[in-house]
Amino acid sequence: MAITARSLAAPARRCAAALAAAVLCAAAAPAAFAADPAPAASPKLPKGLYGSTDPKYDGVWRQSLALLAQDTTGVRPADSAVDWLAGQQCADGAFTAYRADPKQPCDAKTMRDTNQTAAAVQALAAIGGHADAVREGVSWLKSAQNDDGGWGSAAGAPSDANSTSVVIGALAATGTKPESVTAKKDGEKGGKTPYEGLLAFRLGCDADEKDRGAFAFQAKDGKLAANEDATAAAVLGALGKGFVVEPGAQAPAKTSCEEAAEEPRGAAGAAAEHLTSVLDAHGHHLMSAMPGAESQPDVGNTADAVVALAAAGRADAAKQSLGWLRGHSAAWAKQSGPAAYAQLILAAHATGGDPRDFGGTDLVSKLNATGPKPASAASDQQADKEQQDEGGVSVWWVVLVGLAAGAGIGFLLSGRRKQNQL
């Protein structure tokens, strides 16, 4: 199977199962600071899909993030965009990266993907109106749980920290308590929980001090190596958070190294501390780790780290890295497309920033332009309200002014302009 530049540029948790799940995900590098080579010509894209590049490896993923980011900013996505995503689901509830012909049923050769399923479940749950699809997606994810409590990128693939974290986020986003979803033990449920599966990838007290608290993607030859992409994902997973994080989270209470090995919130706090130290060492951004590639800033993983830090209550550190993103993400997002704009929007949202003024760029408009026109946009509604606040003429104002003029009384019409949240 051919490996495209775009598929290799995606962060490890975005790896499609079609890309030889465990092997490629372990080696795949996060989206780089420099623009990727221009993608090859894409086939004719279906109505409703976001992005202009071949969706073979990331169609459901980028669609899900785009819809989540729109929903977060008060934009109601186009019906065609939501319908396209829902139509990608297999009859058993799973999603693959892309089905060119959804009318053809999924068969045994269809590579069902836990990451794309978990992302789609989060998006459809947030938008609403697809309760059956969400329920069936969660049911399939439960069926794909490994005996160690975690998930790999495909059913039966070895567990990894990224996939386990994304699935935990989907469970939490749909009102399912992750700790209640247990693996099979002696043929019955009641085995390890998702949190136990996730914490198995944590570098513990015997690790080098600089790596302590970090997470590995997977064990290699029985050893764990710190991976910043996996660490950012694991912070959200350990906190039971999905992709959308509301600002204002409180930092977990500090726990000892030994306690953090068994207590998810404590592990999340320690992982956030590790992320902070790495970000500080590089000027508030992460570096690309693609094997053989030139060391360079990693915009995508930095955006994910911002969300993770915000979720862990490290607001100051998150805002510092968000500031770096404001000045260094425009070219990357333009080249990478809708998922990149969505990542930046979610990072801004998690820190209380304004995605409509992100280093001089309106991320929401940029995202909207990559797909079908939204059904409605909060910015339009806000503009109408501001017009009224500033003296926009309405029927009631006409009546009141007319009455005032007839009585010989002058009224000063004034309004207030709301301050945009910084």
Side-chain angles (χ1 to χ4, degrees), residues 107-119:
D107 57 22
K109 296 181 179 179
T110 303
M111 193 68 75
R112 293 156 173 82
D113 188 313
T114 59
N115 287 252
Q116 314 242 12
T117 301

Side-chain angles (χ1 to χ4, degrees), residues 9-14 29-34 162 227-233 235-236 243 245 271-272 274-289 295-311 314-330 332-333 336 339-351 358:
R13 77 176 185 198
R14 299 165 180 75
F33 176 70
N162 297 67
N227 181 299
E228 313 315 339
D229 178 55
T231 301
V235 170
L236 294 181
F243 295 133
V245 170
H274 170 79
L275 274 180
T276 300
S277 66
V278 175
L279 287 163
D280 287 346
H282 296 298
H284 308 306
H285 63 79
L286 297 177
M287 299 296 291
S288 173
S295 180
Q296 56 188 331
D298 188 316
V299 184
N301 279 358
T302 300
D304 290 343
V306 168
V307 177
L309 291 176
R314 270 64 176 186
D316 290 343
K319 289 178 179 179
Q320 286 180 324
S321 291
L322 189 76
W324 183 88
L325 286 171
R326 285 194 182 100
H328 299 86
S329 62
W332 169 80
S336 301
Y341 285 121
Q343 282 180 270
L344 295 174
I345 289 171
L346 294 175
H349 177 79
T351 55
F358 195 81

